[in-house]
Amino acid sequence: MIIGYAMAQTIIKSTNKQQYKPKLDRQIREKIIELVLFLAASSSVATTIAILYILIKESFLFFQQIPILDFLTGTKWTPLFVNPEYGILPLLSGTLTSSIVALTVAIPLGTIAAIYLSEFASKQVREIVKPALELLAAIPTVVYGYFALLYVTPWLQSFLPKLPGFNLLSAGLVMGLMIMPFISSISEDAMSAVPVGLREGSYAMGATKLQTALKVVFPAAISGISSSYILGTSRAVGETMIVAIAAGLRPNLTWNPLEQAATITAYIVQVSLGDLPHGTIAYETIFAAGLTLVLMTLLLNIIGYFLAKKYREIY
Amino acid sequence: MNQANLTKIRTNLHRRQLINSLFALLGMMIIAIALIILLGLTIKMAIQGYPRITPEFFTSFPSRRASSAGILSAWVGTSLVMLVTALAAIPLGVASGIYLEEYAKKNWIADLIEINVTNLAGVPSIIYGLLALGLFVYQLRLGESILAAGLTLALLILPVVIVTTRESLRAIPNNLREAAYALGASKWQTIWDHILPYSFGSILTGIIIGLSRAIGETAPIITIGALTFIAFLPKPPLSGEFPFISFEWLQAPFTVMPIQMFNWVSRPQAAFEINAAAAGTVLICMTLGINAIAIYLRYQLRKGIKW
């Protein structure tokens, strides 16, 4: 009521001040505004198209010179050497190994933290811990890379003396620590959204909080939780600075996290740091590597979409 | 029910409750350990870098001698890039959010934009760097400049701004819109005079969170070819002579805080590690400070308005 009255006052005042304008004028103005807003909204679609256009265009130039089959099955990645070889497998193995290490840390810890926050913690604890965890996600990744290289690797070397200074393990561990808050935060949201009635039903049957959490709330929230895992995975695959600093920049076909290796993202950084002339094949390699990365994350997103759809519970 | 049964049930109950409490303890410990590890690492870095954090550190250029190197060009570069990012991302993101939430009809175009925004949020940041390298640097010939970097980061944080704008608009109850329409306001008048002012606070929170993410981003800026060693400043935007405002700084080469730190981390000499620690401490203070503002704003707003 009061709001309406105040609005009426302002509208009367403004119409008194201005001259009478025909209705058509106002409609045109509205249409123009809507058009401008629509153009702004389509800018996101334009961004996607631009990303695909740039990646595909430069990769196309690359694949004109290097057969796709060689690219996908080659076991050596030495584009900057005198005798260049362009097999993406070493970069893929580095990317996947570091991601697996990160996810082995982030998924269990993130899930337990989420269950604790949504089912066990009091409201006050949640109010403090949730923003604190979100702050962890705000630490710049270059700082995480510093931690991995200068603090975590020496610490690991104290009981793994053969560990090289650059290795996938410490990069992966620190990356897991970085991804954990994403997983716990999104999973917690999903579990908090489960109706209280389901929990009360479970308690009434004599279940403890843990049993309720694991057997009722977790399955009910599985679509949100699985999408948090997918998001975590695509963060790990696309993470750049931690691996570029701590995992080394030497492409190495290995599945052993105790060795050094380069990831797709680290390779792109390495090439960008040197001054690569536009139009050379070495310049085009980073786009081919980038396209591989985009296809991987796209695949993950699609899997996530279908998982979420398949398991969506309807209350 | 006989006594034996009751005892059995009690033991079972005790066992389950014990597991329950152990799990609660485990959850608490995991969160505590994660926070303590990171706090510990941050403090260790701060202690290591502390001796270098002097006024001279902020006012000198990078140098080959670790002890006299500073972050002047880095923090000036970061501020200018952030300015461009904010100027590009705020209008574009807020306008997209308004369109999607208030105007978009339920049709395939709206769905397409919607799915697209979600997908963009999942694109690795280095891909934005490749986009910027191909599009801004080579196709549009913006060069390896502050303008190109600012626009890149703006595209990167656009999904964050769009999503938070939509959420803020959605939180405004419909009676408010209906009241405005009932008095003859047009759609845009309703949005501009009423909906936007009420949701301003939470939109601002989203923008701040987006910007704090942009400050820490390194990969896309390395990709467009930001230099790691800059010993000069871009021309100031305001000058004493005619025409007073200069846009030359937009085209200037630059470096930013995370790149400066990355450069120091990747040098073998131990003396630069201390510089990296100092730069990292400053960087963390910047992002955490900005995030603290956002969290404070969110807290205040949630307290203030009750619909």
Side-chain angles (χ1 to χ4, degrees):
Chain A
M1 269 299 283
I2 299 168
I3 296 169
Y5 180 71
M7 267 186 213
Q9 292 259 307
T10 43
I11 288 175
I12 290 166
K13 259 189 223 155
S14 59
T15 38
N16 279 349
K17 252 185 278 168
Q18 283 160 10
Q19 282 188 326
Y20 173 73
K21 283 183 184 159
K23 202 169 173 236
L24 191 65
D25 190 16
R26 171 168 145 161
Q27 275 176 354
I28 291 173
R29 206 184 58 146
E30 287 288 317
K31 280 286 159 208
I32 292 173
I33 290 171
E34 185 172 344
L35 185 71
V36 170
L37 293 176
F38 173 73
L39 287 179
S42 0
S43 68
S44 76
V45 180
T47 310
T48 308
I49 294 172
I51 289 177
L52 291 178
Y53 168 73
I54 295 284
L55 287 180
I56 291 172
K57 190 188 88 164
E58 301 285 349
S59 307
F60 183 72
L61 295 174
F62 173 77
F63 287 121
Q64 276 186 328
Q65 298 165 69
I66 312 297
I68 291 195
L69 203 64
D70 292 2
F71 178 73
L72 290 178
T73 57
T75 54
K76 282 214 173 85
W77 180 262
T78 53
L80 307 175
F81 289 12
V82 188
N83 294 318
E85 290 201 52
Y86 304 93
I88 193 84
L89 284 181
L91 295 185
L92 276 182
S93 76
T95 306
L96 291 178
T97 310
S98 61
S99 303
I100 289 168
V101 174
L103 293 173
T104 352
V105 175
I107 288 184
L109 297 192
T111 312
I112 294 174
I115 294 177
Y116 174 75
L117 282 179
S118 101
E119 305 300 313
F120 290 85
S122 65
K123 195 165 172 282
Q124 290 97 317
V125 171
R126 199 159 42 226
E127 289 279 298
I128 298 169
V129 169
K130 239 194 145 187
L133 280 177
E134 280 167 19
L135 276 187
L136 295 190
I139 295 177
T141 51
V142 63
V143 176
Y144 277 110
Y146 175 91
F147 291 158
L149 178 67
L150 294 174
Y151 299 149
V152 177
T153 301
W155 176 70
L156 288 172
Q157 276 166 337
S158 66
F159 49 87
L160 291 169
K162 281 187 191 155
L163 194 72
F166 294 110
N167 61 79
L168 290 168
L169 182 64
S170 78
L173 288 178
V174 172
M175 199 149 81
L177 207 55
M178 183 200 86
I179 294 171
M180 185 198 132
F182 288 105
I183 293 185
S184 64
S185 182
I186 298 173
S187 303
E188 202 261 330
D189 286 342
M191 292 201 278
S192 304
V194 173
V196 184
L198 287 182
R199 289 189 188 88
E200 284 166 351
S202 169
Y203 293 147
M205 305 290 283
T208 59
K209 273 189 175 176
L210 179 63
Q211 287 172 318
T212 309
L214 293 182
K215 298 198 171 139
V216 177
V217 181
F218 189 88
I222 192 72
S223 73
I225 293 171
S226 60
S227 67
S228 84
Y229 293 169
I230 298 285
L231 182 78
T233 313
S234 76
R235 288 257 163 190
V237 168
E239 169 44 48
T240 310
M241 294 320 290
I242 301 177
V243 284
I245 293 173
L249 294 168
R250 190 184 303 157
N252 183 0
L253 184 53
T254 177
W255 300 96
N256 179 2
L258 301 179
E259 288 182 36
Q260 68 160 306
T263 63
I264 295 179
T265 50
Y267 170 73
I268 297 175
V269 164
Q270 183 194 12
V271 169
S272 314
L273 281 173
D275 221 5
L276 260 196
H278 176 55
T280 58
I281 186 153
Y283 169 84
E284 283 150 13
T285 56
I286 60 176
F287 291 90
L291 186 64
T292 317
L293 185 65
V294 164
L295 291 179
M296 281 167 75
T297 49
L298 192 68
L299 186 73
L300 283 172
N301 282 349
I302 293 170
I303 294 173
Y305 177 78
F306 282 107
L307 272 182
K309 215 172 162 181
K310 191 176 169 195
Y311 290 116
R312 180 155 298 141
E313 298 268 333
I314 295 165
Y315 309 119
Chain B
M1 202 179 281
N2 60 31
Q3 197 58 41
N5 266 348
L6 264 180
T7 337
K8 218 169 139 190
I9 291 173
R10 283 216 185 92
T11 10
N12 179 289
L13 191 64
H14 283 309
R15 196 174 51 87
R16 287 190 294 141
Q17 273 171 350
L18 184 68
I19 298 175
N20 191 54
S21 325
L22 285 179
F23 183 87
L25 197 67
L26 178 72
M28 228 178 325
M29 269 169 56
I30 283 178
I31 293 173
I33 288 173
L35 290 174
I36 288 169
I37 287 179
L38 272 163
L39 195 67
L41 294 178
T42 313
I43 290 173
K44 196 172 171 191
M45 183 177 76
I47 291 172
Q48 201 172 14
Y50 181 72
R52 290 290 294 124
I53 305 180
T54 55
E56 291 81 54
F57 189 61
F58 292 91
T59 54
S60 36
F61 287 108
S63 148
R64 278 176 222 293
R65 283 188 34 239
S67 54
S68 55
I71 54 170
L72 178 63
S73 43
W75 70 259
V76 171
T78 292
S79 324
L80 292 175
V81 170
M82 282 307 119
L83 183 68
V84 177
T85 304
L87 288 179
I90 295 171
L92 210 53
V94 173
S96 313
I98 293 174
Y99 180 82
L100 288 175
E101 197 55 37
E102 302 283 335
Y103 284 88
K105 295 165 191 76
K106 276 275 154 225
N107 59 17
W108 65 272
I109 302 181
D111 284 347
L112 179 76
I113 298 178
E114 179 126 27
I115 293 170
N116 194 48
V117 170
T118 331
N119 260 328
L120 276 182
V123 172
S125 61
I126 195 150
I127 297 300
Y128 285 92
L130 291 179
L131 163 72
L133 179 65
L135 187 69
F136 296 148
V137 177
Y138 287 114
Q139 301 254 322
L140 302 178
R141 306 198 176 283
L142 297 180
E144 291 149 1
S145 61
I146 291 177
L147 181 62
L151 291 179
T152 313
L153 293 182
L155 288 184
L156 184 68
I157 65 169
L158 207 53
V160 181
V161 181
I162 294 177
V163 169
T164 44
T165 304
R166 293 191 63 178
E167 276 166 9
S168 325
L169 295 179
R170 209 174 301 151
I172 309 285
N174 252 335
N175 343 2
L176 221 76
R177 297 182 181 86
E178 282 156 10
Y181 291 143
L183 290 167
S186 70
K187 191 156 197 167
W188 180 247
Q189 284 170 331
T190 309
I191 293 169
W192 185 254
D193 294 338
H194 301 284
I195 308 297
L196 272 185
Y198 289 129
S199 50
F200 175 73
S202 37
I203 293 178
L204 189 67
T205 315
I207 292 170
I208 294 174
I209 288 175
L211 286 179
S212 87
R213 193 179 154 202
I215 282 191
E217 274 300 343
T218 325
I221 303 207
I222 289 184
T223 317
I224 65 169
L227 301 176
T228 47
F229 189 92
I230 296 254
F232 55 88
L233 288 183
K235 282 212 165 159
L238 295 172
S239 60
E241 300 152 35
F242 188 79
F244 306 114
I245 297 177
S246 141
F247 288 102
E248 262 177 70
W249 58 275
L250 283 173
Q251 269 114 46
F254 66 99
T255 190
V256 291
M257 288 290 299
I259 290 186
Q260 184 62 68
M261 182 180 175
F262 174 64
N263 179 14
W264 282 334
V265 176
S266 34
R267 288 193 192 206
Q269 303 96 313
F272 282 105
E273 275 176 28
I274 300 172
N275 280 13
T281 310
V282 175
L283 191 58
I284 283 204
C285 290
M286 282 163 80
T287 48
L288 291 195
I290 288 175
N291 270 281
I293 295 174
I295 289 171
Y296 174 76
L297 265 177
R298 192 157 62 183
Y299 181 71
Q300 284 294 320
L301 291 166
R302 218 190 296 164
K303 236 177 20 186
I305 304 176
K306 289 256 171 3
W307 297 108

